[in-house]
Amino acid sequence: MQILKLQIIDNHEGVRVGQIYMDLFEREGKSRVACLAPLRVGYSPSDRMVRQEPLLALQTSLRSSRTMSFKELQTLFHEFGHALNFISTSTSFQHNAGTVIHIHIAL
């Protein structure tokens, strides 16, 4: 099993703004459902100086690390788009972060 960890850095500010764990490849016993799950959402509560950075889990079931079908590419970009929503969130309220749903499943 190979899990990739991406640390998203704001080069202008020099700070980490989020992390994404990516479980991309199919294996026996793994669900074939592609999804993005927020493990911790990012938000900036008004009573704190520091933003809570998002921690996300992205899952797909790609068949190969060398080639992918157009559908697999669409699914990966779709789920990564959700991750970008969570990384880009700037809100004072946790429940307004990201896609404002618990889990989005791409069929």
Side-chain angles (χ1 to χ4, degrees), residues 13 22 48 70:
E13 298 290 328
M22 300 174 68
R48 290 175 44 198
F70 184 66

Side-chain angles (χ1 to χ4, degrees), residues 26-107:
E26 69 180 359
R27 64 181 173 277
E28 187 177 327
K30 179 182 172 186
S31 169
R32 294 194 47 83
V33 174
C35 63
L36 184 283
L39 305 175
R40 181 180 65 220
V41 297
Y43 74 109
S44 303
S46 57
D47 63 338
R48 290 175 44 198
M49 297 294 293
V50 179
R51 176 180 182 266
Q52 175 176 287
E53 72 177 54
L55 178 62
L56 311 168
L58 188 152
Q59 174 183 299
T60 62
S61 288
L62 304 177
R63 289 173 285 173
S64 168
S65 61
R66 295 179 183 239
T67 62
M68 65 177 74
S69 69
F70 184 66
K71 177 65 176 163
E72 288 175 323
L73 183 64
Q74 283 180 308
T75 300
L76 177 60
F77 285 175
H78 174 93
E79 297 306 329
F80 201 79
H82 291 302
L84 292 176
N85 283 336
F86 277 98
I87 298 293
S88 303
T89 293
S90 180
T91 181
S92 297
F93 302 101
Q94 231 176 319
H95 61 278
N96 289 338
T99 58
V100 192
I101 59 173
H102 295 293
I103 295 178
H104 177 84
I105 299 174
L107 303 176

